[in-house]
Amino acid sequence: MTQSYTLLWTDSAVPLQHPHHLNRPGLLPWIVILSAALMCVFTQPAAADENDDDDGWPTYMHDERRSGVTSARLTFPLQQIWRQQSRAPIAPAWPEPKLVGKERWRNHFDNAHHPAVVDGRVFFGSIIDGRIFALDAETGETRWTFATAASVRLAPTVAEGRVYVGSDDGFVYCLDAITGELHWRFQAGPDRRRILGNDYLVSVWPVRTAIAIDDGVAYFGAGVFPQSPVYAIAVDAMSGKELWRTETKDITFDKRTLSPQGYILLGDDAVFLPSNRKAPFCFNRSDGAFRFYAAAGHARKQMAGVGTYGLLYDQRLVAGAMGVLGFFNQADGEVRGILGGSRIVVSPTTIFQASGLAITAIDRTKLDEKNPMSPTAAVAAQRWKVDLTGAECMILTKDALLVGAPQFVVALSPTNGSKLWRTELVAGVSATGLAATGGQLFVSTSTGDILAFGSSTRPSPTSESIINAPSGTRELPAPLP
């Protein structure tokens, strides 16, 4: 970055338009030389801003591979600078299993208001009242809202100055990121039939996947009941024109059918649709042709790979429920490993594993095709391990590994696991989502709140605002015509 300064003299005692007082012999040349020197000094390249390579947080877990890895830096200690409060509790689409300890919660994709943060604005959709919010990232002040006709359960995606979201009302919305004005909306199902769900009407074809954007194309799924049927869909991101649609009622694997719910993953030539309590289904990005179902053999028997959590790294697909993760080839879905844990984050050299009891750093260089991921291989390749119970989310910034858990958020050194910073949350509140950009950390909680943290050296606006419907109400805006 080059900084340039223009030197202006406006003092009437030194009028440049009449420099008669500068006519002393030999003085003017020295002034010219001095001015040139000053200009050279003030136009030297400045030290690069520590966040020059920060590319924002445009979607859930930063990118369409759901890596959770960003080049942004955070300066510790952090302090809370604003809070966006939800008066009503979050109502997930599916309840937690009643047989706690016997059945894993495989479909908790809508357990918080997860934001996208781009160009100084925080965007999120409300599970409570179906509105989409744009907030000022520095102050938390609301810039605009847009009402859909049912819950917005997943984080928006921001691309090319537009905000993309899907709603339980059966539509995909494309909004202007600055003004909130509607560019287009797309009806995902064949008609507008509605059914009762979670105490209010939702579309027979709710859009319960995130809208994944790449190379000018938006990908998403629609419908949750295979007999309806359900669809994998791609549209032009600028116009909303449909490019392809794959009806999936006849696509089965061992009696398993697609029920697209959760965060879509985009590979180089494939789109992976999470399928609620099942493993992801893979389709061609180019034409929507079905490719494979990512669970087979011993991995399926051990429940690995089933659930809405997933990410891509290198040529691997990682998917699973809370507790067991399956590793698969992206190309054909072949099982390449299994690992206990709820979350992983992958850097070029290290796999960071959240097991529920600890955070472990695993040396990637000790894993290969002959020695794939397994509990035994993970132990042999361990770099460091830190006891930490109940991790629910994890991201990696330029120089910190951040972990959210019940009642706290902690930053660890990626190198050795030492604690860099920690903040406590209110009793009974869990940190269920994290995002980092612009020197700020955004924490999504189990109560529906969003907390913003910044450097302790910055002035704090200490703002607190209320979102969503008042406590105890379930009112939603009227459907658009």
Side-chain angles (χ1 to χ4, degrees), residues 135-150:
L135 312 179
D136 185 286
E138 289 285 336
T139 66
E141 296 177 353
T142 301
R143 294 305 181 193
W144 55 259
T145 65
F146 180 93
T148 76

Side-chain angles (χ1 to χ4, degrees), residues 346-352 361-367 381 383 414:
V346 183
S347 78
T349 61
T350 308
I351 296 175
F352 299 96
I362 301 168
D363 186 349
R364 286 186 61 189
T365 65
K366 296 182 179 180
L367 302 172
R383 283 180 166 166

Side-chain angles (χ1 to χ4, degrees), residues 11 15 22 30 43 121 123 135 141 146 166 171 179 188 196 206 265 281 296 325 330 351 365 400 402:
D11 189 341
L22 299 179
W30 283 106
T43 58
R121 296 202 174 190
F123 305 93
L135 312 179
E141 296 177 353
F146 180 93
F171 285 88
T179 66
L196 189 64
L265 307 173
F281 284 65
L325 301 176
Q330 288 186 39
I351 296 175
T365 65
L402 290 116

